[in-house]
Amino acid sequence: MTITAYSWLAVASLPGLYAFTTVYGLVSAAFQCLIPSTVASLTPDLRMVGSRLGMAFSTLSFAALTGPPIGGALQSAMGGQYWGATVFAATSTAVCFGLMGAARVAKVGWGLRAKG
């Protein structure tokens, strides 16, 4: 996902933008549908999945609320160029990837085939 977000920097034409938008939408949707299963796998008592999903999505709401205004402010500060917003979005994705990796390591350790 992070690599896909950083690849936006290479888009220089309208057909390239269409291709990027298609690929980014597919990759983004693939990762977003993993959120409920990840929360369920981290929850030992399945009766708590609903409340934990609510907490996870309420946390995500802060990103949805603050991301577009920050991106717009970065675009304005860059004179209408998108590269500042692109780097912000891609770096935010990288930070989230690192936090999710840390949560997995805290839950099951460093083994790749380990299950919680």
Side-chain angles (χ1 to χ4, degrees):
M1 181 72 193
T2 302
I3 294 169
T4 308
Y6 276 118
S7 68
W8 189 8
L9 294 170
V11 174
S13 66
L14 192 58
L17 182 62
Y18 290 150
F20 168 77
T21 303
T22 302
V23 171
Y24 188 82
L26 291 170
V27 171
S28 176
F31 277 97
Q32 287 180 2
C33 73
L34 292 175
I35 294 170
S37 60
T38 302
V39 170
S41 70
L42 292 173
T43 304
D45 183 10
L46 291 181
R47 293 178 294 175
M48 298 298 295
V49 171
S51 60
R52 291 210 176 169
L53 276 173
M55 290 186 285
F57 285 120
S58 65
T59 303
L60 292 173
S61 71
F62 291 109
L65 182 66
T66 59
I70 291 171
L74 288 170
Q75 182 185 357
S76 295
M78 300 293 168
Q81 298 290 324
Y82 287 101
W83 67 269
T86 302
V87 171
F88 169 72
T91 304
S92 297
T93 304
V95 168
C96 291
F97 177 74
L99 291 173
M100 288 301 291
R104 185 189 184 284
V105 168
K107 175 74 175 171
V108 297
W110 289 100
L112 290 177
R113 297 189 187 265
K115 294 186 180 180

